[in-house]
Amino acid sequence: LGMRPPGEYPLPQGLSRVARLRMELMETDLPRGEDAGAEAPAATPPARRGGSMPRIQLVLDPLEELCRRLRRGWFASVTDLAISNIEDHRLDYHFLTLRGTAFLNFPHLRASAAEGRYTIRARRGPGAPPAAALRPFDADAAARANAQRQVEDAPLMLSPAKELGCQAEAAFLEENTQVFKSGENFHFVHAPWRSCSGEVVRRRYDGLVETWQRLERDARLTLPAA
């Protein structure tokens, strides 16, 4: 289903027109034998005609399954999207990629975390807050936010943070409430050993802004003359 265009997926047509959408991701499927807490054997699926067994499709990455559908244009009318129960390691490693793909068309985005799970809130359209990446750079505000997120033991194992020097870095700090800068890298409050380089952050957010500006120019060019 994730590879089908929106007009072909077997969902109620009303879901293609919703403006506000709230999703709680399922837990990741575990291949048989990997769930140590499961005592009962898995149920045997019914056989199809002719004796062949139906193919069982495990969902090993619920976030990617959803984002693949968003990239294909599912839920194009949604202006206010909330996704909860996201495993922290999946979003830590893929946030920057997903920001410029699945969530490209949502200028406003916030990712917050609690108890090992993220929640994403994304908005677009009239009434949505402005994109963090498009606001003027406030070095003092970015420095304060970064200082407040420093992990207590971080000075013992991480380098002191270098100055946040551009709006791209400040936008990353604002959109993902779990990140903080140490040295030239960004780390995560709940897992300081995970990191991404400042150079990658700047490149991804600069690319995001360039894409938005290009789309805005293209939209102006296609508007009918007054």
Side-chain angles (χ1 to χ4, degrees):
L1 289 179
M3 302 306 295
R4 291 186 179 184
E8 296 180 6
Y9 57 79
L11 291 176
Q13 285 296 314
L15 286 179
S16 300
R17 302 185 181 95
V18 297
R20 299 181 62 193
L21 186 61
R22 302 289 180 270
M23 297 184 182
E24 180 178 344
L25 295 187
M26 62 176 282
E27 296 297 324
T28 301
D29 283 333
L30 293 176
R32 192 178 236 181
E34 291 193 14
D35 187 355
E39 297 180 1
T44 302
R48 289 180 177 175
R49 291 183 180 179
S52 62
M53 300 295 291
R55 181 168 171 260
I56 299 175
Q57 183 69 48
L58 298 179
V59 179
L60 303 178
D61 189 343
L63 178 62
E64 173 55 25
E65 291 294 331
L66 172 60
C67 288
R68 186 172 353 135
R69 288 156 173 77
L70 293 176
R71 290 192 295 267
R72 294 287 295 180
W74 288 37
F75 309 118
S77 64
V78 169
T79 58
D80 189 340
L81 174 65
I83 307 168
S84 60
N85 201 39
I86 304 170
E87 293 172 298
D88 60 6
H89 65 279
R90 298 191 188 279
L91 196 59
D92 288 349
Y93 290 123
H94 300 294
F95 180 90
L96 291 172
T97 298
L98 295 177
R99 186 64 184 98
T101 54
F103 299 107
L104 172 66
N105 294 321
F106 289 91
H108 175 82
L109 184 141
R110 292 293 182 275
S112 57
E115 300 181 352
R117 300 297 167 115
Y118 271 104
T119 296
I120 286 178
R121 179 79 182 277
R123 298 177 64 186
R124 62 185 171 189
L134 298 178
R135 288 206 301 272
F137 178 48
D138 186 336
D140 291 337
R144 286 194 300 271
N146 192 59
Q148 291 170 357
R149 295 186 198 171
Q150 296 291 323
V151 178
E152 184 176 347
D153 296 329
L156 302 178
M157 60 181 179
L158 299 175
S159 303
K162 291 195 175 179
E163 189 175 284
L164 282 87
C166 62
Q167 184 57 19
E169 293 185 341
F172 182 44
L173 198 74
E174 184 173 341
E175 291 194 338
N176 190 326
T177 61
Q178 288 296 294
V179 301
F180 66 95
K181 190 175 184 183
S182 172
E184 282 288 357
N185 297 324
F186 284 85
H187 297 259
F188 299 86
V189 173
H190 53 266
W193 55 90
R194 298 175 192 156
S195 67
C196 54
S197 73
E199 188 276 330
V200 171
V201 169
R202 293 187 293 273
R203 175 158 45 86
R204 292 295 178 89
Y205 271 88
D206 287 345
L208 190 66
V209 170
E210 289 174 5
T211 299
W212 286 339
Q213 292 173 340
R214 175 176 54 79
L215 292 174
E216 184 178 0
R217 287 194 302 269
D218 292 346
R220 287 200 300 265
L221 291 175
T222 58
L223 288 175

